[in-house]
mmCIF file of all heavy atoms in Angstrom:
data_model
loop_
_atom_site.group_PDB
_atom_site.id
_atom_site.type_symbol
_atom_site.label_atom_id
_atom_site.label_comp_id
_atom_site.label_asym_id
_atom_site.label_seq_id
_atom_site.Cartn_x
_atom_site.Cartn_y
_atom_site.Cartn_z
ATOM 1 N N VAL A 1322 52.758 177.690 55.009
ATOM 2 C CA VAL A 1322 53.724 177.036 54.110
ATOM 3 C C VAL A 1322 53.267 175.593 53.788
ATOM 4 O O VAL A 1322 53.413 175.168 52.602
ATOM 5 C CB VAL A 1322 55.136 176.927 54.836
ATOM 6 C CG1 VAL A 1322 56.058 176.094 54.270
ATOM 7 C CG2 VAL A 1322 55.719 178.359 55.023
ATOM 8 N N GLU A 1323 52.720 174.946 54.791
ATOM 9 C CA GLU A 1323 52.300 173.490 54.498
ATOM 10 C C GLU A 1323 51.115 173.469 53.482
ATOM 11 O O GLU A 1323 51.072 172.670 52.549
ATOM 12 C CB GLU A 1323 51.758 172.926 55.798
ATOM 13 C CG GLU A 1323 53.045 172.600 56.735
ATOM 14 C CD GLU A 1323 53.931 171.558 56.157
ATOM 15 O OE1 GLU A 1323 53.528 170.587 55.551
ATOM 16 O OE2 GLU A 1323 55.149 171.744 56.570
ATOM 17 N N LEU A 1324 50.265 174.477 53.684
ATOM 18 C CA LEU A 1324 49.064 174.503 52.689
ATOM 19 C C LEU A 1324 49.594 174.835 51.334
ATOM 20 O O LEU A 1324 49.063 174.270 50.283
ATOM 21 C CB LEU A 1324 48.022 175.490 53.109
ATOM 22 C CG LEU A 1324 47.217 175.104 54.362
ATOM 23 C CD1 LEU A 1324 46.314 176.205 54.867
ATOM 24 C CD2 LEU A 1324 46.479 173.857 54.159
ATOM 25 N N ALA A 1325 50.588 175.783 51.249
ATOM 26 C CA ALA A 1325 51.050 176.081 49.911
ATOM 27 C C ALA A 1325 51.799 174.929 49.219
ATOM 28 O O ALA A 1325 51.546 174.685 47.983
ATOM 29 C CB ALA A 1325 52.020 177.261 50.049
ATOM 30 N N GLY A 1326 52.517 174.181 50.049
ATOM 31 C CA GLY A 1326 53.218 173.014 49.504
ATOM 32 C C GLY A 1326 52.183 171.926 49.034
ATOM 33 O O GLY A 1326 52.331 171.303 48.029
ATOM 34 N N ALA A 1327 51.183 171.835 49.862
ATOM 35 C CA ALA A 1327 50.115 170.807 49.424
ATOM 36 C C ALA A 1327 49.444 171.283 48.208
ATOM 37 O O ALA A 1327 49.072 170.387 47.286
ATOM 38 C CB ALA A 1327 49.129 170.620 50.603
ATOM 39 N N GLY A 1328 49.199 172.549 48.031
ATOM 40 C CA GLY A 1328 48.567 173.021 46.782
ATOM 41 C C GLY A 1328 49.469 172.823 45.566
ATOM 42 O O GLY A 1328 48.983 172.332 44.497
ATOM 43 N N VAL A 1329 50.765 172.906 45.706
ATOM 44 C CA VAL A 1329 51.643 172.681 44.629
ATOM 45 C C VAL A 1329 51.692 171.265 44.254
ATOM 46 O O VAL A 1329 51.589 170.824 43.091
ATOM 47 C CB VAL A 1329 53.176 173.072 45.021
ATOM 48 C CG1 VAL A 1329 54.156 172.651 43.975
ATOM 49 C CG2 VAL A 1329 53.192 174.639 45.141
ATOM 50 N N VAL A 1330 51.713 170.250 45.153
ATOM 51 C CA VAL A 1330 51.689 168.896 45.008
ATOM 52 C C VAL A 1330 50.354 168.506 44.391
ATOM 53 O O VAL A 1330 50.381 167.712 43.409
ATOM 54 C CB VAL A 1330 51.805 168.143 46.263
ATOM 55 C CG1 VAL A 1330 51.479 166.635 46.093
ATOM 56 C CG2 VAL A 1330 53.268 168.269 46.858
ATOM 57 N N ALA A 1331 49.231 169.060 44.753
ATOM 58 C CA ALA A 1331 47.898 168.664 44.149
ATOM 59 C C ALA A 1331 47.898 169.104 42.738
ATOM 60 O O ALA A 1331 47.404 168.452 41.860
ATOM 61 C CB ALA A 1331 46.808 169.294 45.052
ATOM 62 N N ALA A 1332 48.486 170.336 42.459
ATOM 63 C CA ALA A 1332 48.387 170.915 41.024
ATOM 64 C C ALA A 1332 49.340 169.995 40.196
ATOM 65 O O ALA A 1332 48.960 169.692 39.029
ATOM 66 C CB ALA A 1332 48.948 172.300 41.004
ATOM 67 N N ALA A 1333 50.465 169.583 40.745
ATOM 68 C CA ALA A 1333 51.400 168.656 39.899
ATOM 69 C C ALA A 1333 50.647 167.411 39.634
ATOM 70 O O ALA A 1333 50.796 166.833 38.579
ATOM 71 C CB ALA A 1333 52.647 168.550 40.640
ATOM 72 N N ALA A 1334 49.979 166.791 40.615
ATOM 73 C CA ALA A 1334 49.388 165.608 40.460
ATOM 74 C C ALA A 1334 48.269 165.680 39.345
ATOM 75 O O ALA A 1334 48.087 164.779 38.547
ATOM 76 C CB ALA A 1334 48.705 165.185 41.686
#
Side-chain angles (χ1 to χ4, degrees):
V1322 168
E1323 292 294 327
L1324 289 174
V1329 168
V1330 170

